[in-house]
Amino acid sequence: MDFCTFGMFILDDIYYPPSSNLPPSKSVVGGAGSYAALGARLLSPPPLSKQIGWVVDLGIDFPDEVLAEIKGWETSVLLRDPVDGRKTTRGWNGYETVGGERVKAFKYLTEKKRVGVEDLPEAFVTSKGFHMVCSAHRCKTIVNGLMEKRLKAGLESSSDSKALMVWEPIPDLCNAEELESIQDAMIGVDVISPNHLELGNLLGRDDMVENGNVNERAVQEGAKDLLGRLRSRDECPTVIVRAGARGCFAFVPGREGGQMWIPAYHHDSSRVIDPTGGGNCFLGALVVAMVRSESTGMSRIISASVQASVAASFAIEQIGLPKLGTGELWNGESVAQRWREVEDRLV
């Protein structure tokens, strides 16, 4: 198995701002796990799609059409049947008034069911790469639990058998109070990836956006400052800062390292309908691209980030998931063609 995510599957009910005059969208596929699996799947046409592992908890109210779509991806998804009449994890996405302003908000409508190390079948535990979206405490718990199980399976004893760990800190805990805990948890991962606003919140900086655009200098400084005391240590992770339409900034410490901005596929917002899940999709694709790469250091990160940017472009072109058609076309377009287009911009 090349990929496994600890993210959840959620069905979202989306309520748009009153000014939009749009009716709510119900039972839209959401959750970090769903979109991370999407990113991995976009880079994995069959039979490689069977190298994608993720968990979907089926509630008694799980829509048949959503189940058919999931099965149509031909991944190694683990479908867990409902127990004791449990309903599917559902979320409410809408707007609330905070301090006199309308702000985007999320809350669970049903009990959430996380995915833990103890939930993974052996084939998932022995995956080459993992995606996590969680707190610093849970990140350490997952990494330690995985290492214990993988060592028992005879893995992690050599560099060839070490798993790639990619961590996406949850936005709500990206603040200055959590910085030390996050830096402590980073020791156990290979890549940490906040977005530019989350990075600013962690470091107590309010200059990540300047005149409506991403402040590249602030992002570059912040990526290095995030590593703090780890920068001179062997376990120092790569930092990839996701920055929306600007793309992403990758900072790889060490002798084989470097830094670079990788562009987003979409030049403007004309085809961007809903950015929800774009970051999760990016990181799912990043894991797959990295574990399959034969390169090292900065070359490996650049190539994987290009592929991840392409994958994310499909996730944000509609409400919910992109449509997989015949000939492995998503939304009627080729992943490989978009990949070539982004690579051409780097030349």
Side-chain angles (χ1 to χ4, degrees):
M1 199 76 70
D2 287 340
F3 170 87
C4 176
T5 178
F6 285 94
M8 292 191 301
F9 176 96
I10 301 174
L11 288 177
D12 286 331
D13 292 345
I14 303 173
Y15 291 81
Y16 304 100
S19 58
S20 69
N21 294 318
L22 293 173
S25 299
K26 300 293 188 73
S27 296
V28 177
V29 174
S34 308
Y35 278 91
L38 169 65
R41 174 61 181 84
L42 280 158
L43 301 186
S44 307
L48 278 176
S49 56
K50 289 298 183 181
Q51 296 296 314
I52 308 307
W54 55 307
V55 178
V56 174
D57 285 292
L58 304 174
I60 58 173
D61 57 342
F62 203 90
D64 291 339
E65 63 275 15
V66 175
L67 182 58
E69 185 170 19
I70 290 171
K71 290 182 176 179
W73 287 4
E74 300 182 57
T75 63
S76 292
V77 61
L78 173 61
L79 300 170
R80 297 198 291 194
D81 292 327
V83 177
D84 297 329
R86 184 184 180 277
K87 291 187 176 181
T88 307
T89 302
R90 289 181 179 270
W92 177 91
N93 281 273
Y95 290 81
E96 295 179 342
T97 301
V98 178
E101 295 186 6
R102 299 284 287 178
V103 296
K104 198 169 184 180
F106 173 86
K107 59 185 176 184
Y108 287 101
L109 297 175
T110 60
E111 179 186 1
K112 67 178 180 180
K113 186 169 177 56
R114 285 177 169 172
V115 179
V117 175
E118 66 279 3
D119 298 314
L120 302 184
E122 184 177 356
F124 286 18
V125 171
T126 57
S127 292
K128 295 177 183 176
F130 294 87
H131 163 258
M132 300 171 287
V133 51
C134 55
S135 66
H137 175 75
R138 188 159 186 261
C139 174
K140 293 175 70 174
T141 299
I142 288 173
V143 170
N144 291 338
L146 268 178
M147 291 304 102
E148 182 179 345
K149 285 202 168 190
R150 289 175 64 86
L151 285 169
K152 288 181 179 178
L155 300 172
E156 299 296 321
S157 58
S158 67
S159 59
D160 291 339
S161 64
K162 288 187 179 296
L164 176 78
M165 300 289 183
V166 174
W167 178 33
E168 181 181 356
I170 55 174
D172 291 349
L173 292 180
C174 285
N175 54 58
E177 290 75 21
E178 290 290 319
L179 178 59
E180 186 174 345
S181 296
I182 285 176
Q183 289 176 328
D184 185 45
M186 281 194 292
I187 294 173
V189 305
D190 299 285
V191 177
I192 181 170
S193 180
N195 69 28
H196 62 296
L197 297 177
E198 293 159 359
L199 176 65
N201 291 337
L202 273 170
L203 298 174
R205 298 183 63 152
D206 60 2
D207 59 346
M208 293 294 165
V209 176
E210 191 173 63
N211 298 321
N213 297 311
V214 173
N215 183 341
E216 296 183 13
R217 175 190 54 78
V219 169
Q220 292 169 200
E221 292 174 354
K224 298 168 187 176
D225 291 342
L226 178 61
L227 297 177
R229 58 186 171 82
L230 299 180
R231 285 180 64 180
S232 61
R233 299 172 65 170
D234 292 338
E235 65 268 33
C236 194
T238 291
V239 180
I240 298 181
V241 184
R242 294 166 283 113
R246 178 59 187 89
C248 70
F249 175 72
F251 173 61
V252 182
R255 287 178 298 175
E256 293 187 34
Q259 63 183 47
M260 186 172 181
W261 281 94
I262 291 91
Y265 174 77
H266 290 301
H267 295 283
D268 54 50
S269 61
S270 61
R271 292 186 61 183
V272 177
I273 303 301
D274 183 6
T276 303
N280 310 132
C281 185
F282 177 98
L283 292 173
L286 184 85
V287 172
V288 165
M290 287 185 67
V291 300
R292 293 176 184 164
S293 175
E294 296 180 357
S295 301
T296 60
M298 197 65 198
S299 297
R300 181 190 190 197
I301 293 296
I302 292 172
S303 176
S305 296
V306 167
Q307 295 174 68
S309 291
V310 167
S313 72
F314 288 94
I316 62 179
E317 292 177 345
Q318 64 285 305
I319 303 294
L321 302 173
K323 297 302 179 185
L324 173 60
T326 57
E328 198 63 22
L329 297 180
W330 295 81
N331 290 346
E333 296 192 24
S334 162
V335 174
Q337 177 58 36
R338 289 192 181 186
W339 181 2
R340 287 190 290 270
E341 290 177 30
V342 178
E343 283 194 322
D344 288 344
R345 296 181 208 167
L346 297 178
V347 177

PDB file of all heavy atoms in Angstrom, residues 315-340:
ATOM      1  N   ALA A 315     -10.053  19.521  -7.154  1.00  0.00           N
ATOM      2  CA  ALA A 315     -10.906  19.486  -5.960  1.00  0.00           C
ATOM      3  C   ALA A 315     -11.708  20.762  -5.785  1.00  0.00           C
ATOM      4  O   ALA A 315     -12.768  20.738  -5.144  1.00  0.00           O
ATOM      5  CB  ALA A 315     -10.040  19.247  -4.725  1.00  0.00           C
ATOM      6  N   ILE A 316     -11.247  21.877  -6.336  1.00  0.00           N
ATOM      7  CA  ILE A 316     -11.847  23.180  -6.026  1.00  0.00           C
ATOM      8  C   ILE A 316     -12.709  23.737  -7.164  1.00  0.00           C
ATOM      9  O   ILE A 316     -13.139  24.882  -7.094  1.00  0.00           O
ATOM     10  CB  ILE A 316     -10.747  24.200  -5.657  1.00  0.00           C
ATOM     11  CG1 ILE A 316      -9.786  24.431  -6.824  1.00  0.00           C
ATOM     12  CG2 ILE A 316      -9.979  23.718  -4.431  1.00  0.00           C
ATOM     13  CD1 ILE A 316      -8.691  25.454  -6.533  1.00  0.00           C
ATOM     14  N   GLU A 317     -12.969  22.912  -8.168  1.00  0.00           N
ATOM     15  CA  GLU A 317     -13.721  23.387  -9.335  1.00  0.00           C
ATOM     16  C   GLU A 317     -15.231  23.195  -9.201  1.00  0.00           C
ATOM     17  O   GLU A 317     -15.971  23.529 -10.138  1.00  0.00           O
ATOM     18  CB  GLU A 317     -13.231  22.676 -10.598  1.00  0.00           C
ATOM     19  CG  GLU A 317     -11.825  23.050 -10.990  1.00  0.00           C
ATOM     20  CD  GLU A 317     -11.313  22.282 -12.207  1.00  0.00           C
ATOM     21  OE1 GLU A 317     -11.940  21.258 -12.577  1.00  0.00           O
ATOM     22  OE2 GLU A 317     -10.290  22.701 -12.775  1.00  0.00           O
ATOM     23  N   GLN A 318     -15.703  22.678  -8.069  1.00  0.00           N
ATOM     24  CA  GLN A 318     -17.124  22.403  -7.884  1.00  0.00           C
ATOM     25  C   GLN A 318     -17.423  22.264  -6.396  1.00  0.00           C
ATOM     26  O   GLN A 318     -16.517  22.195  -5.568  1.00  0.00           O
ATOM     27  CB  GLN A 318     -17.529  21.108  -8.600  1.00  0.00           C
ATOM     28  CG  GLN A 318     -16.874  19.855  -8.062  1.00  0.00           C
ATOM     29  CD  GLN A 318     -15.427  19.707  -8.454  1.00  0.00           C
ATOM     30  OE1 GLN A 318     -15.114  19.748  -9.637  1.00  0.00           O
ATOM     31  NE2 GLN A 318     -14.527  19.526  -7.480  1.00  0.00           N
ATOM     32  N   ILE A 319     -18.702  22.225  -6.068  1.00  0.00           N
ATOM     33  CA  ILE A 319     -19.111  21.862  -4.719  1.00  0.00           C
ATOM     34  C   ILE A 319     -19.022  20.338  -4.621  1.00  0.00           C
ATOM     35  O   ILE A 319     -19.641  19.618  -5.403  1.00  0.00           O
ATOM     36  CB  ILE A 319     -20.561  22.305  -4.430  1.00  0.00           C
ATOM     37  CG1 ILE A 319     -20.727  23.819  -4.652  1.00  0.00           C
ATOM     38  CG2 ILE A 319     -20.964  21.916  -3.019  1.00  0.00           C
ATOM     39  CD1 ILE A 319     -19.948  24.674  -3.697  1.00  0.00           C
ATOM     40  N   GLY A 320     -18.251  19.821  -3.697  1.00  0.00           N
ATOM     41  CA  GLY A 320     -18.098  18.378  -3.566  1.00  0.00           C
ATOM     42  C   GLY A 320     -16.968  17.839  -4.420  1.00  0.00           C
ATOM     43  O   GLY A 320     -16.006  18.549  -4.745  1.00  0.00           O
ATOM     44  N   LEU A 321     -17.098  16.582  -4.811  1.00  0.00           N
ATOM     45  CA  LEU A 321     -16.022  15.883  -5.508  1.00  0.00           C
ATOM     46  C   LEU A 321     -16.055  16.118  -7.015  1.00  0.00           C
ATOM     47  O   LEU A 321     -17.126  16.278  -7.599  1.00  0.00           O
ATOM     48  CB  LEU A 321     -16.139  14.379  -5.246  1.00  0.00           C
ATOM     49  CG  LEU A 321     -16.091  13.919  -3.793  1.00  0.00           C
ATOM     50  CD1 LEU A 321     -16.397  12.423  -3.706  1.00  0.00           C
ATOM     51  CD2 LEU A 321     -14.739  14.225  -3.165  1.00  0.00           C
ATOM     52  N   PRO A 322     -14.883  16.101  -7.667  1.00  0.00           N
ATOM     53  CA  PRO A 322     -14.859  16.121  -9.131  1.00  0.00           C
ATOM     54  C   PRO A 322     -15.390  14.809  -9.681  1.00  0.00           C
ATOM     55  O   PRO A 322     -15.389  13.790  -8.981  1.00  0.00           O
ATOM     56  CB  PRO A 322     -13.373  16.302  -9.460  1.00  0.00           C
ATOM     57  CG  PRO A 322     -12.663  15.689  -8.289  1.00  0.00           C
ATOM     58  CD  PRO A 322     -13.517  15.986  -7.087  1.00  0.00           C
ATOM     59  N   LYS A 323     -15.839  14.828 -10.913  1.00  0.00           N
ATOM     60  CA  LYS A 323     -16.434  13.638 -11.511  1.00  0.00           C
ATOM     61  C   LYS A 323     -15.401  12.863 -12.328  1.00  0.00           C
ATOM     62  O   LYS A 323     -14.729  13.425 -13.193  1.00  0.00           O
ATOM     63  CB  LYS A 323     -17.619  14.022 -12.391  1.00  0.00           C
ATOM     64  CG  LYS A 323     -18.762  14.671 -11.613  1.00  0.00           C
ATOM     65  CD  LYS A 323     -19.273  13.759 -10.494  1.00  0.00           C
ATOM     66  CE  LYS A 323     -20.395  14.418  -9.702  1.00  0.00           C
ATOM     67  NZ  LYS A 323     -20.795  13.575  -8.533  1.00  0.00           N
ATOM     68  N   LEU A 324     -15.328  11.576 -12.048  1.00  0.00           N
ATOM     69  CA  LEU A 324     -14.446  10.685 -12.797  1.00  0.00           C
ATOM     70  C   LEU A 324     -15.213  10.110 -13.979  1.00  0.00           C
ATOM     71  O   LEU A 324     -16.259   9.483 -13.809  1.00  0.00           O
ATOM     72  CB  LEU A 324     -13.954   9.555 -11.895  1.00  0.00           C
ATOM     73  CG  LEU A 324     -13.151   8.427 -12.562  1.00  0.00           C
ATOM     74  CD1 LEU A 324     -11.896   8.971 -13.222  1.00  0.00           C
ATOM     75  CD2 LEU A 324     -12.805   7.344 -11.531  1.00  0.00           C
ATOM     76  N   GLY A 325     -14.682  10.350 -15.182  1.00  0.00           N
ATOM     77  CA  GLY A 325     -15.328   9.857 -16.390  1.00  0.00           C
ATOM     78  C   GLY A 325     -14.508   8.777 -17.059  1.00  0.00           C
ATOM     79  O   GLY A 325     -13.532   8.252 -16.504  1.00  0.00           O
ATOM     80  N   THR A 326     -14.880   8.437 -18.277  1.00  0.00           N
ATOM     81  CA  THR A 326     -14.158   7.412 -19.027  1.00  0.00           C
ATOM     82  C   THR A 326     -12.770   7.915 -19.402  1.00  0.00           C
ATOM     83  O   THR A 326     -12.533   9.120 -19.524  1.00  0.00           O
ATOM     84  CB  THR A 326     -14.928   7.033 -20.298  1.00  0.00           C
ATOM     85  OG1 THR A 326     -15.141   8.221 -21.085  1.00  0.00           O
ATOM     86  CG2 THR A 326     -16.272   6.415 -19.950  1.00  0.00           C
ATOM     87  N   GLY A 327     -11.863   6.971 -19.581  1.00  0.00           N
ATOM     88  CA  GLY A 327     -10.506   7.338 -19.964  1.00  0.00           C
ATOM     89  C   GLY A 327      -9.735   8.028 -18.878  1.00  0.00           C
ATOM     90  O   GLY A 327      -8.749   8.735 -19.150  1.00  0.00           O
ATOM     91  N   GLU A 328     -10.143   7.831 -17.603  1.00  0.00           N
ATOM     92  CA  GLU A 328      -9.472   8.442 -16.454  1.00  0.00           C
ATOM     93  C   GLU A 328      -9.424   9.959 -16.570  1.00  0.00           C
ATOM     94  O   GLU A 328      -8.437  10.619 -16.188  1.00  0.00           O
ATOM     95  CB  GLU A 328      -8.054   7.862 -16.307  1.00  0.00           C
ATOM     96  CG  GLU A 328      -7.408   8.074 -14.952  1.00  0.00           C
ATOM     97  CD  GLU A 328      -8.131   7.403 -13.770  1.00  0.00           C
ATOM     98  OE1 GLU A 328      -8.894   6.432 -13.983  1.00  0.00           O
ATOM     99  OE2 GLU A 328      -7.900   7.854 -12.635  1.00  0.00           O
ATOM    100  N   LEU A 329     -10.504  10.551 -17.077  1.00  0.00           N
ATOM    101  CA  LEU A 329     -10.635  12.005 -17.123  1.00  0.00           C
ATOM    102  C   LEU A 329     -11.441  12.462 -15.909  1.00  0.00           C
ATOM    103  O   LEU A 329     -12.465  11.870 -15.564  1.00  0.00           O
ATOM    104  CB  LEU A 329     -11.333  12.455 -18.407  1.00  0.00           C
ATOM    105  CG  LEU A 329     -10.620  12.132 -19.724  1.00  0.00           C
ATOM    106  CD1 LEU A 329     -11.438  12.648 -20.900  1.00  0.00           C
ATOM    107  CD2 LEU A 329      -9.213  12.728 -19.747  1.00  0.00           C
ATOM    108  N   TRP A 330     -10.974  13.520 -15.277  1.00  0.00           N
ATOM    109  CA  TRP A 330     -11.670  14.102 -14.126  1.00  0.00           C
ATOM    110  C   TRP A 330     -12.193  15.468 -14.548  1.00  0.00           C
ATOM    111  O   TRP A 330     -11.432  16.300 -15.056  1.00  0.00           O
ATOM    112  CB  TRP A 330     -10.723  14.244 -12.945  1.00  0.00           C
ATOM    113  CG  TRP A 330     -10.229  12.945 -12.403  1.00  0.00           C
ATOM    114  CD1 TRP A 330      -9.210  12.174 -12.898  1.00  0.00           C
ATOM    115  CD2 TRP A 330     -10.737  12.241 -11.263  1.00  0.00           C
ATOM    116  NE1 TRP A 330      -9.044  11.044 -12.128  1.00  0.00           N
ATOM    117  CE2 TRP A 330      -9.974  11.062 -11.121  1.00  0.00           C
ATOM    118  CE3 TRP A 330     -11.758  12.507 -10.344  1.00  0.00           C
ATOM    119  CZ2 TRP A 330     -10.198  10.149 -10.095  1.00  0.00           C
ATOM    120  CZ3 TRP A 330     -11.976  11.598  -9.318  1.00  0.00           C
ATOM    121  CH2 TRP A 330     -11.212  10.434  -9.196  1.00  0.00           C
ATOM    122  N   ASN A 331     -13.481  15.676 -14.359  1.00  0.00           N
ATOM    123  CA  ASN A 331     -14.110  16.909 -14.865  1.00  0.00           C
ATOM    124  C   ASN A 331     -13.815  17.090 -16.354  1.00  0.00           C
ATOM    125  O   ASN A 331     -13.695  18.211 -16.859  1.00  0.00           O
ATOM    126  CB  ASN A 331     -13.639  18.144 -14.085  1.00  0.00           C
ATOM    127  CG  ASN A 331     -14.173  18.178 -12.665  1.00  0.00           C
ATOM    128  OD1 ASN A 331     -15.087  17.432 -12.314  1.00  0.00           O
ATOM    129  ND2 ASN A 331     -13.627  19.049 -11.841  1.00  0.00           N
ATOM    130  N   GLY A 332     -13.654  15.965 -17.040  1.00  0.00           N
ATOM    131  CA  GLY A 332     -13.432  15.998 -18.480  1.00  0.00           C
ATOM    132  C   GLY A 332     -12.018  16.324 -18.900  1.00  0.00           C
ATOM    133  O   GLY A 332     -11.747  16.511 -20.092  1.00  0.00           O
ATOM    134  N   GLU A 333     -11.087  16.374 -17.949  1.00  0.00           N
ATOM    135  CA  GLU A 333      -9.711  16.754 -18.276  1.00  0.00           C
ATOM    136  C   GLU A 333      -8.709  15.746 -17.730  1.00  0.00           C
ATOM    137  O   GLU A 333      -8.999  14.986 -16.805  1.00  0.00           O
ATOM    138  CB  GLU A 333      -9.407  18.164 -17.747  1.00  0.00           C
ATOM    139  CG  GLU A 333     -10.254  19.248 -18.409  1.00  0.00           C
ATOM    140  CD  GLU A 333      -9.753  20.645 -18.094  1.00  0.00           C
ATOM    141  OE1 GLU A 333      -8.555  20.787 -17.776  1.00  0.00           O
ATOM    142  OE2 GLU A 333     -10.562  21.581 -18.167  1.00  0.00           O
ATOM    143  N   SER A 334      -7.504  15.770 -18.293  1.00  0.00           N
ATOM    144  CA  SER A 334      -6.454  14.830 -17.956  1.00  0.00           C
ATOM    145  C   SER A 334      -5.549  15.369 -16.857  1.00  0.00           C
ATOM    146  O   SER A 334      -5.068  16.510 -16.943  1.00  0.00           O
ATOM    147  CB  SER A 334      -5.620  14.525 -19.210  1.00  0.00           C
ATOM    148  OG  SER A 334      -4.373  13.949 -18.876  1.00  0.00           O
ATOM    149  N   VAL A 335      -5.294  14.553 -15.852  1.00  0.00           N
ATOM    150  CA  VAL A 335      -4.351  14.924 -14.801  1.00  0.00           C
ATOM    151  C   VAL A 335      -2.950  15.107 -15.386  1.00  0.00           C
ATOM    152  O   VAL A 335      -2.242  16.074 -15.065  1.00  0.00           O
ATOM    153  CB  VAL A 335      -4.323  13.844 -13.699  1.00  0.00           C
ATOM    154  CG1 VAL A 335      -3.237  14.149 -12.669  1.00  0.00           C
ATOM    155  CG2 VAL A 335      -5.687  13.735 -13.017  1.00  0.00           C
ATOM    156  N   ALA A 336      -2.546  14.210 -16.274  1.00  0.00           N
ATOM    157  CA  ALA A 336      -1.204  14.267 -16.858  1.00  0.00           C
ATOM    158  C   ALA A 336      -0.999  15.552 -17.663  1.00  0.00           C
ATOM    159  O   ALA A 336       0.086  16.146 -17.634  1.00  0.00           O
ATOM    160  CB  ALA A 336      -0.970  13.045 -17.739  1.00  0.00           C
ATOM    161  N   GLN A 337      -2.036  15.988 -18.382  1.00  0.00           N
ATOM    162  CA  GLN A 337      -1.915  17.211 -19.177  1.00  0.00           C
ATOM    163  C   GLN A 337      -1.708  18.428 -18.271  1.00  0.00           C
ATOM    164  O   GLN A 337      -0.873  19.288 -18.544  1.00  0.00           O
ATOM    165  CB  GLN A 337      -3.166  17.398 -20.041  1.00  0.00           C
ATOM    166  CG  GLN A 337      -3.180  18.691 -20.860  1.00  0.00           C
ATOM    167  CD  GLN A 337      -1.999  18.823 -21.799  1.00  0.00           C
ATOM    168  OE1 GLN A 337      -1.538  17.827 -22.369  1.00  0.00           O
ATOM    169  NE2 GLN A 337      -1.484  20.032 -21.948  1.00  0.00           N
ATOM    170  N   ARG A 338      -2.471  18.481 -17.193  1.00  0.00           N
ATOM    171  CA  ARG A 338      -2.298  19.604 -16.261  1.00  0.00           C
ATOM    172  C   ARG A 338      -0.918  19.570 -15.619  1.00  0.00           C
ATOM    173  O   ARG A 338      -0.303  20.613 -15.382  1.00  0.00           O
ATOM    174  CB  ARG A 338      -3.387  19.571 -15.184  1.00  0.00           C
ATOM    175  CG  ARG A 338      -4.773  19.928 -15.696  1.00  0.00           C
ATOM    176  CD  ARG A 338      -5.746  20.174 -14.549  1.00  0.00           C
ATOM    177  NE  ARG A 338      -7.086  20.486 -15.049  1.00  0.00           N
ATOM    178  CZ  ARG A 338      -8.102  20.864 -14.291  1.00  0.00           C
ATOM    179  NH1 ARG A 338      -7.937  20.968 -12.981  1.00  0.00           N
ATOM    180  NH2 ARG A 338      -9.285  21.126 -14.820  1.00  0.00           N
ATOM    181  N   TRP A 339      -0.447  18.374 -15.332  1.00  0.00           N
ATOM    182  CA  TRP A 339       0.896  18.213 -14.751  1.00  0.00           C
ATOM    183  C   TRP A 339       1.944  18.811 -15.694  1.00  0.00           C
ATOM    184  O   TRP A 339       2.831  19.568 -15.275  1.00  0.00           O
ATOM    185  CB  TRP A 339       1.137  16.732 -14.495  1.00  0.00           C
ATOM    186  CG  TRP A 339       2.461  16.367 -13.880  1.00  0.00           C
ATOM    187  CD1 TRP A 339       3.453  17.202 -13.486  1.00  0.00           C
ATOM    188  CD2 TRP A 339       2.913  15.037 -13.592  1.00  0.00           C
ATOM    189  NE1 TRP A 339       4.503  16.488 -12.974  1.00  0.00           N
ATOM    190  CE2 TRP A 339       4.207  15.173 -13.019  1.00  0.00           C
ATOM    191  CE3 TRP A 339       2.372  13.768 -13.762  1.00  0.00           C
ATOM    192  CZ2 TRP A 339       4.945  14.061 -12.621  1.00  0.00           C
ATOM    193  CZ3 TRP A 339       3.115  12.669 -13.358  1.00  0.00           C
ATOM    194  CH2 TRP A 339       4.379  12.809 -12.799  1.00  0.00           C
ATOM    195  N   ARG A 340       1.836  18.506 -16.970  1.00  0.00           N
ATOM    196  CA  ARG A 340       2.789  19.051 -17.947  1.00  0.00           C
ATOM    197  C   ARG A 340       2.698  20.574 -18.012  1.00  0.00           C
ATOM    198  O   ARG A 340       3.722  21.266 -18.147  1.00  0.00           O
ATOM    199  CB  ARG A 340       2.529  18.444 -19.325  1.00  0.00           C
ATOM    200  CG  ARG A 340       2.963  16.980 -19.456  1.00  0.00           C
ATOM    201  CD  ARG A 340       2.912  16.513 -20.892  1.00  0.00           C
ATOM    202  NE  ARG A 340       1.536  16.387 -21.376  1.00  0.00           N
ATOM    203  CZ  ARG A 340       0.821  15.277 -21.282  1.00  0.00           C
ATOM    204  NH1 ARG A 340       1.335  14.192 -20.720  1.00  0.00           N
ATOM    205  NH2 ARG A 340      -0.408  15.236 -21.756  1.00  0.00           N
TER     206      ARG A 340
END
